[in-house]
Amino acid sequence: MIVLAKTSWLRTLLLLRGTAVTNVWPRILATTAVAGVVTYAHEAYGWFTTNLTVTPFTLIGLALSIFLGFRNNTSYDRFWEGRKLWGGVVNTTRNLTRQLLVHVGPDGLSESYRTTAHPDGADAEAVAFHHRSVRRVIAYVHALRHHLRGQERLAELEPFLSTAELEALRAEKNRPVAILQRLSADVRAAYERGWIHAQHVPMIDASIGQLIDLQGGCERIKATPIPFSYNVLLHRIVAVYCFTLPFGLVDIPGLDVFTPVVVMLVSYAFFGLDAVGEEIEEPFGEDPNDLPLGAICNTIEINLRQRLGDAELPPPAQPIKNVLT
C-alpha cells in the first residue's frame, strides 16, 4: 500500500511510483507513436483523409467510461471488503487472546494475569499453555497471509510453533485452518482438565469460529476474480479505441497537428483506469496498491506478544520507498 505524508499538490502530481503510469507507459507511448505517424502522413502526403468525424468516438468513449467506472467500483469493493475482513482478524485475535489469558487457568491465575504476565506462584504449566496458545494465534495470522499470497514461508512460523507442529504443517493444504484446529484441541483439553468454566468454552470457540469465517471471506475474494471475459472485453475495447482515435482526430481543422498530444492524454486516462481496476481487484497480492498484510500481521504480533509480557518486540512496520507491504 502506498503510504505518503501530506505533501504538496505539485509533488503529488509528479509522483510515478505506485501510479498507473509505471504500468501503462508502453501502451501510451505506442498509441502516441501511431498518432504521430498518422499525423505526419496526413500533413505531408494527404493520407488518411477519411472524413471520419469524432461522433463515433464520443459515443464509444462515453460507454467505455461507464464500463470502466463499473469495473473499478467492483474492484474497489473487493479491495475494501478485504480490508474489512482483515480488520476483523485484528479485532478477533485481540479478543481471543484476552479470553485465553483471562478465562483459562487454575483458580486465581486469571486474576493474576490482569496485572502481570508472569505472576509469582502461578502454575507454570498454565503459563506455558497461555504462551503456547497466544503464539499459535500469532502463527495463524502469518500463515493466513502466506496462504492468501500463495507463499511457502513455513520458516517464518518457527518462533511461534513447536518443531513437531511445524513438521505436521508441511503436508497441510490449508495451514491456517490446521493451526486453529490444534488450538481448539488444546482448549478442549484445558476444559477437560477443569481450567475453563463451561460458560467460557462457547465464547472462546466462537472467537475461533469467527476467525475461520473471516478467512473464508478472504478465500472467497481470492478464488472468485472478476470474470475473465469481462476483463478481456474491456482490454480490447480500450486498445482498439485508443489506437484508432488518431484517424478520427487528424481531419479536424485546427486539431490535426495536435492529434498526438490529444491521443496521449486520452490514452493515459483510459489505459490508466483500466490498469488501476486490474491492480486492486486482487487485494491480497504484493503490488504497491494492495493491502499491507505484512504490516497488519506485524501489528497483531506486537499487540499479542505484549499481552504475554514479552520484552523484545518487533519494530512497527515502516514503508520502504513509500510502500507498506
Side-chain angles (χ1 to χ4, degrees), residues 22-232:
T22 57
N23 295 326
V24 303
W25 71 263
R27 285 170 262 177
I28 297 174
L29 185 61
T31 54
T32 304
V34 169
V37 171
V38 171
T39 302
Y40 176 78
H42 180 270
E43 293 296 314
Y45 304 105
W47 295 357
F48 307 118
T49 305
T50 60
N51 295 321
L52 181 64
T53 66
V54 296
T55 302
F57 294 96
T58 302
L59 296 176
I60 296 173
L62 178 60
L64 187 56
S65 299
I66 295 173
F67 291 147
L68 283 172
F70 173 77
R71 201 280 296 275
N72 283 10
N73 285 338
T74 303
S75 297
Y76 186 77
D77 284 344
R78 292 164 57 84
F79 176 89
W80 183 239
E81 183 181 2
R83 183 60 187 91
K84 289 192 293 184
L85 289 169
W86 269 88
V89 171
V90 173
N91 294 340
T92 305
T93 53
R94 290 171 178 170
N95 269 326
L96 179 58
T97 297
R98 174 183 57 82
Q99 292 163 357
L100 290 170
L101 295 181
V102 173
H103 298 305
V104 181
D107 293 341
L109 181 62
S110 298
E111 180 63 32
S112 301
Y113 249 98
R114 295 192 180 107
T115 57
T116 176
H118 300 284
D120 296 335
D123 188 279
E125 193 172 354
V127 172
F129 174 88
H130 288 163
H131 279 254
R132 184 171 65 251
S133 299
V134 174
R135 291 184 184 278
R136 189 172 285 135
V137 176
I138 297 173
Y140 167 78
V141 297
H142 286 296
L144 179 58
R145 169 169 55 91
H146 300 156
H147 177 66
L148 293 175
R149 288 181 169 176
Q151 298 170 334
E152 284 288 335
R153 296 182 179 178
L154 198 59
E156 291 187 12
L157 306 184
E158 288 181 1
F160 313 110
L161 301 175
S162 66
T163 303
E165 192 167 353
L166 280 172
E167 288 301 316
L169 284 178
R170 292 189 186 277
E172 293 288 346
K173 299 297 183 183
N174 195 318
R175 290 169 181 170
V177 169
I179 292 172
L180 289 183
Q181 182 171 336
R182 184 66 179 270
L183 177 60
S184 295
D186 278 5
V187 169
R188 175 172 178 172
Y191 168 72
E192 292 175 348
R193 191 169 181 176
W195 283 7
I196 310 177
H197 193 280
Q199 293 180 347
H200 294 152
V201 174
M203 179 173 58
I204 296 175
D205 189 67
S207 294
I208 296 174
Q210 188 172 358
L211 285 177
I212 293 178
D213 290 341
L214 292 168
Q215 177 180 337
C218 293
E219 290 172 338
R220 170 174 47 80
I221 294 175
K222 179 178 174 61
T224 314
I226 293 176
F228 177 74
S229 59
Y230 188 83
N231 277 334
V232 171

Side-chain angles (χ1 to χ4, degrees), residues 306-324:
Q306 203 163 30
R307 294 304 92 219
L308 292 175
D310 286 0
E312 297 183 1
L313 301 173
Q318 298 295 329
I320 300 175
K321 295 182 178 180
N322 298 323
V323 178
L324 196 60

